[in-house]
Amino acid sequence: MSLSVQDQKEILRRRTFAIISHPDAGKTTLTEKLLYHGGVIHEAGEVKGKSGTKAATSDWMELEKQKGISITSSVMTFDYNQLRINLLDTPGHKDFSEDTYRVLMAVESACMLIDVAKGVEDRTKKLYDVCRLRDIPIFTFVNKLDREGKDPLTLIDEIERTLNMQCYPVTWPLGIGQRFKGIYNRLNKKVYFYDQRREGDEFTEHDFSGPQDPILDKYLDAETAAQVRDELELIESALPPFDVNEFLSGKISPVTFGSAKQNFGVDTFLNFFTQFAPGPKARPAKAGSEVDPLSENFSGFVFKIQANMDKRHRDRIAFVRICSGKFERGMKVGHSRLTKELRLSYSSQFVAADKETVEVAYAGDIVGVGDTGNFAIGDSISSNGKVKFEDIPKFAPELFAKLQVKDALKRTKLQEALVHLSEEGAIQLFVDPFIGAQEYIIGAVGELQFEVLVHRLQDEYNLEAKLNRLPFTVARWPRSPEGKPVGQLKGNFTLFKDMIDQPVLLLNQEWDLNWAKKENPDVDFATSISRAR
Ligand code: G4P
């Protein structure tokens, strides 16, 4: 049976994206305002920022609340301009870049948020590079225009040079800092003015005939009006019209300006987003095939696993990005790795901690399905059981440790908890060939991952554990020229095993790695590895 016209329409109105930014650029604030425009939050400021008493909607884990950081990623859904928008939150901290990579596999576009005073920051650059790896079209939102910052031409030049990508200003700020009075929308040739002292949705709209339009003199002081005119003359003469194909192929990034905190410029961004953001795309699957989102065959892949979202129920949820067809609660699907059939009877969608049962969902959507241990990150499911999407790689950790529990009787419980958390992708586990699986070596990309681990063991498993750091800093998966695992190396190197029994080399320093390479010139020492078992 093929998809009904109504179902196809539902798929075509899906837009799935993520916001990437350096911490503090205003991601939480922008998210709140987007949810507000989408009618999910009814009062701007209803959800307080990190210094407020309530945690932001998307930061729901205990430690996130305490630390004011967003480390897990959640999904928020809202409707705007007849579109169903799924916004995936990405962890803002650099120690969680692997989570971000996984999230970016589940979206069709991203919005890069930049603080006007800080420009392209270190973390933005790293996240941008991850987007580039996946060729995702990127919107840019320059935030905090109500604060003093770089002038827009300098900022655009900085973005273009640092990221090696062309920018296309869709809007242009009229002033900056205290003199920020409005924006010019270059696409519809209208100017919007607002009063900074009165946050909210109030603004006035005027047609704009061009840089010499006298309306600028009405709202801006003489110096600002003169500067804006110079800037507009320059960009209007230098830039060709907006080319959507160049955006979709990742060559240019459309830039909008605003103040998330003051809810100004956010709706302009949303309108532009809904006009140009790509909907669900055909997705590459193994064996060179592609899966059409409008296919009648339901398919999707797990990009995130989260255990213990609700401590009372010890639940585990696999987040599935639906890639084709229609999902119906209770449906039977084939699990491609386990080659077995599963019934998806427990399914939910989220706005942060609020969970709602989902009966129907479509390609482009994210559903959380209850998991009793069947899913690992990267697993594919489909109605015919045959679809297998690309692998989601696992990257080499750089920090290593072992854990010790005070109560020796709880050793087994600790090992079980570690396996759960590694299946979520929160940490990686390795087995020392001389000790075996009763004492795992734990690998992490950053310090904060360890901190979260110790906290979660205590909070969710009631295990008081002490972390003992190990001297390793390098992990590599040795591979033959044909890509097969290499189980033995010349030069007296110990090989450990990862959780899917692949040999891994753990070393104290880069120097040791160079030595291993010299001794084993035919071996490739891979920095990432497929998760597939
Ligand atoms: P993040 O999630 O990217 O880390 O950033 P978040 O939204 O938490 O914003 C970081 C700080 O920047 C917050 O201030 C927030 O209010 C402020 N901010 C965000 N957008 C704007 C903007 O457009 N203009 C101005 N002036 N500030 C903005 P805070 O002092 O940490 O918290 P709060 O007391 O303001 O809530």
Side-chain angles (χ1 to χ4, degrees):
M1 199 185 70
S2 64
L3 282 181
S4 69
V5 173
Q6 192 51 39
D7 287 342
Q8 295 190 23
K9 275 190 185 158
E10 285 295 338
I11 293 173
L12 294 172
R13 80 180 186 102
R14 261 57 188 173
R15 299 291 180 273
T16 305
F17 84 115
I19 302 177
I20 57 168
S21 71
H22 194 90
D24 264 355
K27 183 156 63 83
T28 313
T29 315
L30 180 63
T31 304
E32 279 178 11
K33 295 303 179 329
L34 293 172
L35 294 178
Y36 170 70
H37 285 285
V40 176
I41 294 174
H42 298 289
E43 195 185 314
E46 184 180 302
V47 184
K48 297 254 164 44
K50 49 197 165 199
S51 55
T53 44
K54 266 169 92 181
T57 331
S58 50
D59 296 2
W60 43 263
M61 283 184 78
E62 202 54 45
L63 190 72
E64 293 183 332
K65 287 182 203 158
Q66 283 172 18
K67 293 210 144 211
I69 45 166
S70 173
I71 42 184
T72 54
S73 36
S74 42
V75 187
M76 282 152 281
T77 299
F78 59 96
D79 284 348
Y80 194 80
N81 283 353
Q82 278 90 52
L83 296 182
R84 169 63 50 91
I85 300 170
N86 296 308
L87 166 56
L88 273 66
D89 191 14
T90 53
H93 200 280
K94 69 171 175 34
D95 292 359
F96 294 85
S97 47
E98 207 173 290
D99 290 58
T100 304
Y101 186 90
R102 288 180 225 144
V103 168
L104 291 175
M105 287 199 70
V107 299
E108 266 84 27
S109 63
C111 171
M112 175 168 71
L113 185 63
I114 288 182
D115 180 330
V116 69
K118 305 226 174 101
V120 179
E121 294 174 88
D122 171 49
R123 181 85 189 119
T124 327
K125 164 105 182 60
K126 292 214 177 75
L127 288 165
Y128 171 82
D129 290 342
V130 177
C131 288
R132 274 286 77 104
L133 283 176
R134 308 214 42 79
D135 268 337
I136 301 171
I138 300 169
F139 298 90
T140 301
F141 184 89
V142 179
N143 191 27
K144 306 196 187 181
L145 263 290
D146 58 302
R147 282 201 189 156
E148 297 305 327
K150 304 185 183 194
D151 79 73
L153 282 174
T154 310
L155 187 73
I156 286 201
D157 184 53
E158 178 183 322
I159 300 172
E160 291 190 335
R161 271 186 300 105
T162 323
L163 303 181
N164 198 15
M165 175 189 57
Q166 245 190 305
C167 290
Y168 183 91
V170 173
T171 61
W172 197 258
L174 307 175
I176 189 166
Q178 284 187 345
R179 285 165 295 122
F180 178 54
K181 294 284 160 53
I183 49 173
Y184 166 43
N185 184 339
R186 299 182 57 231
L187 295 193
N188 67 4
K189 305 225 177 302
K190 284 184 192 294
V191 278
Y192 302 86
F193 292 100
Y194 86 121
D195 185 346
Q196 271 194 33
R197 289 162 304 179
R198 292 165 57 195
E199 284 183 28
D201 302 334
E202 282 179 48
F203 59 84
T204 51
E205 177 186 322
H206 301 269
D207 290 335
F208 190 61
S209 60
Q212 297 314 320
D213 197 312
I215 192 81
L216 293 182
D217 306 306
K218 186 172 166 201
Y219 287 93
L220 307 180
D221 62 75
E223 195 189 331
T224 311
Q227 187 180 347
V228 165
R229 287 198 164 102
D230 284 351
E231 289 166 354
L232 289 181
E233 295 281 5
L234 195 75
I235 58 166
E236 294 299 340
S237 62
L239 286 174
F242 179 62
D243 181 341
V244 67
N245 290 324
E246 295 220 306
F247 159 60
L248 293 176
S249 60
K251 289 202 187 82
I252 59 167
S253 177
V255 183
T256 50
F257 293 84
S259 163
K261 188 171 180 181
Q262 300 198 316
N263 194 16
F264 186 72
V266 176
D267 54 346
T268 316
F269 162 72
L270 255 180
N271 286 327
F272 184 81
F273 174 88
T274 45
Q275 202 178 343
F276 293 105
K281 280 205 303 193
R283 198 165 272 264
K286 285 220 166 137
S289 61
E290 273 200 337
V291 176
D292 178 356
L294 296 173
S295 154
E296 61 191 323
N297 181 32
F298 160 85
S299 69
F301 67 90
V302 176
F303 68 96
K304 171 184 161 75
I305 291 178
Q306 184 77 58
N308 308 327
M309 284 171 88
D310 181 348
K311 263 191 280 174
R312 286 164 305 173
H313 296 112
R314 287 230 161 269
D315 56 348
R316 190 165 126 138
I317 290 170
F319 287 78
V320 176
R321 154 71 203 229
I322 305 175
C323 299
S324 67
K326 179 179 181 180
F327 166 91
E328 284 169 297
R329 191 164 77 89
M331 78 193 295
K332 280 187 185 163
V333 294
H335 186 304
S336 72
R337 176 171 57 85
L338 303 180
T339 51
K340 80 177 195 188
E341 203 174 56
L342 302 170
R343 185 184 282 282
L344 304 179
S345 7
Y346 174 85
S347 53
S348 43
Q349 266 176 345
F350 299 84
V351 169
D354 294 334
K355 206 161 61 176
E356 276 174 22
T357 297
V358 162
E359 298 295 338
V360 176
Y362 293 91
D365 286 337
I366 313 294
V367 283
V369 299
D371 177 27
T372 50
N374 287 311
F375 290 118
I377 285 168
D379 279 346
S380 305
I381 49 173
S382 54
S383 2
N384 65 11
K386 292 188 185 140
V387 180
K388 198 159 181 357
F389 292 103
E390 300 165 287
D391 287 329
I392 301 185
K394 197 159 73 170
F395 298 104
E398 290 169 13
L399 303 174
F400 298 84
K402 277 188 181 179
L403 278 177
Q404 214 183 333
V405 261
K406 277 215 175 121
D407 181 350
L409 293 173
K410 289 188 171 172
R411 276 263 297 271
T412 317
K413 197 175 164 197
L414 173 70
Q415 300 307 90
E416 279 170 17
L418 288 175
V419 171
H420 283 165
L421 293 169
S422 77
E423 283 166 349
E424 276 183 40
I427 44 166
Q428 290 185 44
L429 296 180
F430 302 97
V431 177
D432 184 327
F434 301 109
I435 297 175
Q438 67 268 31
E439 198 182 36
Y440 290 118
I441 293 173
I442 303 152
V445 179
E447 209 56 64
L448 193 59
Q449 260 181 299
F450 279 146
E451 218 177 299
V452 171
L453 170 67
V454 172
H455 179 93
R456 289 188 64 185
L457 286 171
Q458 172 81 62
D459 190 50
E460 295 165 25
Y461 297 90
N462 197 20
L463 286 167
E464 199 178 326
K466 185 170 168 283
L467 200 72
N468 295 319
R469 292 293 291 269
L470 296 172
F472 307 123
T473 64
V474 178
R476 292 291 185 273
W477 286 268
R479 288 275 182 270
S480 70
E482 298 77 40
K484 297 256 163 17
V486 171
Q488 233 178 352
L489 292 174
K490 289 188 205 119
N492 208 13
F493 290 99
T494 304
L495 282 172
F496 298 74
K497 286 277 173 74
D498 68 10
M499 292 306 275
I500 50 170
D501 235 18
Q502 308 244 19
V504 191
L505 189 58
L506 301 184
L507 300 166
N508 289 6
Q509 50 196 342
E510 280 296 316
W511 190 89
D512 300 321
L513 177 63
N514 291 335
W515 181 252
K517 284 180 179 167
K518 215 165 147 196
E519 292 283 303
N520 301 272
D522 295 337
V523 176
D524 171 36
F525 292 90
T527 53
S528 67
I529 177 191
S530 144
R531 291 172 180 274
R533 284 177 236 190

